Coordinates of all heavy atoms in Angstrom, one line a residue:
I24 N -6.3 3.1 8.8 CA -4.8 3.0 8.6 C -4.2 1.6 8.8 O -3.4 1.1 8.0 CB -4.1 4.0 9.5 CG1 -4.4 5.4 9.2 CG2 -2.6 3.8 9.4 CD1 -4.2 5.9 7.8
T25 N -4.8 0.9 9.7 CA -4.3 -0.5 10.0 C -4.7 -1.4 8.9 O -4.1 -2.5 8.8 CB -4.9 -1.0 11.3 OG1 -6.3 -1.1 11.3 CG2 -4.4 -0.2 12.5
E26 N -5.6 -1.1 8.0 CA -5.9 -1.9 6.9 C -4.9 -1.8 5.7 O -5.0 -2.6 4.8 CB -7.3 -1.6 6.3 CG -8.5 -1.9 7.3 CD -9.8 -1.6 6.8 OE1 -9.8 -1.2 5.6 OE2 -10.8 -1.6 7.5
I27 N -4.0 -0.8 5.7 CA -3.0 -0.6 4.7 C -1.9 -1.7 4.9 O -1.3 -1.8 5.9 CB -2.4 0.8 4.8 CG1 -3.5 1.8 4.7 CG2 -1.4 1.0 3.7 CD1 -3.0 3.3 4.9
D28 N -1.7 -2.4 3.7 CA -0.8 -3.5 3.8 C 0.7 -3.0 3.9 O 1.1 -1.9 3.4 CB -0.8 -4.3 2.5 CG -2.2 -4.9 2.3 OD1 -2.8 -5.3 3.4 OD2 -2.6 -5.1 1.2
R29 N 1.5 -3.8 4.6 CA 3.0 -3.5 4.6 C 3.6 -4.2 3.4 O 3.3 -5.4 3.2 CB 3.6 -4.0 5.9 CG 3.4 -3.1 7.1 CD 4.1 -3.7 8.3 NE 4.1 -2.8 9.4 CZ 5.0 -1.9 9.6 NH1 6.0 -1.7 8.8 NH2 5.0 -1.1 10.7
P30 N 4.4 -3.5 2.7 CA 5.0 -4.2 1.5 C 6.1 -5.1 1.9 O 6.6 -5.0 3.0 CB 5.6 -3.0 0.7 CG 5.8 -2.0 1.6 CD 4.8 -2.1 2.7
S31 N 6.4 -6.2 1.1 CA 7.4 -7.1 1.4 C 8.8 -6.4 1.5 O 9.1 -5.5 0.6 CB 7.5 -8.1 0.3 OG 8.7 -9.0 0.5
P32 N 9.5 -6.7 2.5 CA 10.9 -6.2 2.7 C 11.8 -6.5 1.5 O 12.9 -5.8 1.3 CB 11.4 -6.7 4.0 CG 10.5 -7.9 4.2 CD 9.3 -7.7 3.7
E33 N 11.4 -7.5 0.7 CA 12.3 -7.9 -0.4 C 12.2 -7.0 -1.6 O 13.0 -7.0 -2.5 CB 11.9 -9.3 -0.8 CG 12.2 -10.4 0.3 CD 11.8 -11.7 -0.1 OE1 11.2 -11.8 -1.2 OE2 11.9 -12.7 0.7
L34 N 11.1 -6.2 -1.6 CA 10.9 -5.3 -2.8 C 11.9 -4.0 -2.7 O 12.3 -3.6 -1.6 CB 9.5 -4.6 -2.7 CG 8.4 -5.7 -2.9 CD1 7.0 -4.9 -2.8 CD2 8.4 -6.4 -4.2
G35 N 12.3 -3.5 -3.8 CA 13.0 -2.2 -3.8 C 12.1 -1.1 -3.3 O 10.9 -1.2 -3.3
W36 N 12.7 0.0 -3.0 CA 12.0 1.1 -2.4 C 10.9 1.6 -3.2 O 9.8 1.9 -2.8 CB 12.9 2.3 -2.0 CG 13.5 3.0 -3.2 CD1 14.7 2.8 -3.8 CD2 12.9 4.1 -3.9 NE1 14.9 3.7 -4.8 CE2 13.8 4.4 -4.9 CE3 11.6 4.7 -3.9 CZ2 13.5 5.5 -5.9 CZ3 11.3 5.7 -4.8 CH2 12.2 6.1 -5.7
K37 N 11.2 1.7 -4.5 CA 10.2 2.3 -5.5 C 8.9 1.4 -5.6 O 7.8 2.0 -5.5 CB 10.8 2.5 -6.9 CG 10.0 3.3 -7.9 CD 10.8 3.5 -9.2 CE 10.0 4.3 -10.2 NZ 10.7 4.5 -11.4
R38 N 9.1 0.2 -5.8 CA 7.9 -0.7 -5.9 C 7.2 -0.8 -4.5 O 6.0 -0.9 -4.4 CB 8.3 -2.1 -6.4 CG 7.2 -3.1 -6.6 CD 7.6 -4.3 -7.1 NE 6.6 -5.4 -7.2 CZ 6.7 -6.6 -7.4 NH1 8.0 -7.1 -7.6 NH2 5.7 -7.5 -7.3
A39 N 8.0 -0.8 -3.4 CA 7.4 -0.9 -2.0 C 6.5 0.3 -1.8 O 5.4 0.2 -1.3 CB 8.5 -1.0 -1.1
V40 N 7.0 1.5 -2.1 CA 6.2 2.7 -1.9 C 4.9 2.7 -2.8 O 3.8 3.0 -2.3 CB 7.0 4.0 -2.2 CG1 6.2 5.2 -2.2 CG2 8.1 4.2 -1.2
R41 N 5.2 2.3 -4.0 CA 3.9 2.3 -4.9 C 2.9 1.3 -4.4 O 1.7 1.6 -4.4 CB 4.4 1.8 -6.3 CG 3.4 2.0 -7.4 CD 3.8 1.6 -8.8 NE 3.0 2.0 -9.8 CZ 1.8 1.5 -10.2 NH1 1.5 0.3 -9.6 NH2 1.1 2.0 -11.2
E42 N 3.3 0.1 -3.9 CA 2.3 -0.9 -3.5 C 1.7 -0.4 -2.2 O 0.5 -0.6 -2.0 CB 3.1 -2.2 -3.2 CG 3.4 -2.9 -4.6 CD 3.7 -4.4 -4.5 OE1 3.5 -4.9 -3.3 OE2 4.1 -5.0 -5.5
R43 N 2.4 0.2 -1.3 CA 1.9 0.7 -0.1 C 0.8 1.7 -0.3 O -0.2 1.8 0.2 CB 3.0 1.2 0.9 CG 2.4 1.9 2.0 CD 3.4 1.9 3.2 NE 3.0 0.9 4.2 CZ 3.2 1.1 5.5 NH1 3.9 2.0 6.0 NH2 2.9 0.1 6.3
L44 N 1.2 2.7 -1.2 CA 0.2 3.8 -1.5 C -1.0 3.4 -2.2 O -2.1 3.9 -2.0 CB 0.9 5.0 -2.2 CG 1.5 6.1 -1.2 CD1 2.5 5.4 -0.3 CD2 2.2 7.1 -2.0
L45 N -0.9 2.4 -3.1 CA -2.1 1.8 -3.7 C -2.9 1.0 -2.7 O -4.1 1.0 -2.8 CB -1.6 0.9 -4.9 CG -1.0 1.7 -6.1 CD1 -0.6 0.7 -7.2 CD2 -2.0 2.7 -6.7
S46 N -2.3 0.4 -1.8 CA -3.0 -0.2 -0.7 C -3.8 0.8 0.1 O -5.0 0.5 0.5 CB -2.1 -1.1 0.2 OG -2.8 -1.7 1.3
A47 N -3.1 1.9 0.4 CA -3.8 3.0 1.1 C -5.0 3.4 0.3 O -6.1 3.8 0.9 CB -2.8 4.2 1.3
R48 N -4.9 3.6 -1.0 CA -6.0 4.0 -1.8 C -7.1 3.0 -1.7 O -8.4 3.3 -1.6 CB -5.6 4.2 -3.3 CG -6.8 4.6 -4.2 CD -6.3 5.3 -5.4 NE -7.4 5.7 -6.3 CZ -8.2 6.8 -6.0 NH1 -7.9 7.5 -5.0 NH2 -9.2 7.0 -6.8
R49 N -6.9 1.7 -1.8 CA -7.9 0.7 -1.6 C -8.6 0.8 -0.3 O -9.8 0.6 -0.2 CB -7.3 -0.7 -1.8 CG -6.8 -1.1 -3.3 CD -6.6 -2.5 -3.4 NE -5.4 -3.0 -2.6 CZ -4.1 -2.9 -3.0 NH1 -3.9 -2.4 -4.3 NH2 -3.2 -3.3 -2.2
A50 N -7.9 1.1 0.7 CA -8.5 1.3 2.2 C -9.4 2.4 2.2 O -10.6 2.2 2.7 CB -7.4 1.4 3.1
V51 N -9.0 3.6 1.6 CA -10.0 4.7 1.6 C -11.2 4.5 0.7 O -12.2 5.1 0.9 CB -9.3 6.1 1.4 CG1 -8.2 6.3 2.4 CG2 -8.7 6.1 0.0
L52 N -11.0 3.7 -0.4 CA -12.1 3.5 -1.2 C -13.1 2.5 -0.6 O -14.3 2.6 -0.9 CB -11.7 2.9 -2.6 CG -10.9 3.9 -3.5 CD1 -10.4 3.2 -4.8 CD2 -11.8 5.0 -3.9
R53 N -12.6 1.6 0.3 CA -13.6 0.8 1.0 C -14.4 1.5 2.0 O -15.4 1.1 2.4 CB -12.7 -0.3 1.7 CG -12.2 -1.4 0.9 CD -11.8 -2.7 1.8 NE -10.6 -2.3 2.5 CZ -9.3 -2.4 2.2 NH1 -9.0 -2.9 1.0 NH2 -8.4 -2.2 3.0
H54 N -13.8 2.7 2.5 CA -14.5 3.5 3.4 C -14.7 4.9 2.9 O -13.8 5.8 3.1 CB -13.7 3.5 4.7 CG -13.4 2.2 5.2 ND1 -14.3 1.3 5.9 CD2 -12.2 1.5 5.3 CE1 -13.7 0.2 6.2 NE2 -12.4 0.3 5.9
P55 N -15.8 5.2 2.2 CA -15.9 6.4 1.4 C -15.8 7.7 2.3 O -15.5 8.8 1.9 CB -17.3 6.4 0.8 CG -17.5 4.9 0.6 CD -16.9 4.3 1.8

């Protein structure tokens, strides 16, 4: 969980959520 990136506070909510969840996906793919 600590490997999941925090999105930039300058992003709107929609892009911020999308980037965060895609970062979560990258984290779980690194650890099968």
Side-chain angles (χ1 to χ4, degrees):
I24 297 300
T25 60
E26 294 180 7
I27 301 173
D28 297 330
R29 281 183 172 271
S31 169
E33 298 176 358
L34 298 177
W36 70 264
K37 189 176 182 182
R38 185 176 171 192
V40 170
R41 190 179 196 278
E42 291 197 2
R43 169 156 259 209
L44 270 55
L45 290 178
S46 177
R48 179 159 181 79
R49 290 192 294 273
V51 298
L52 289 178
R53 283 194 296 271
H54 306 287

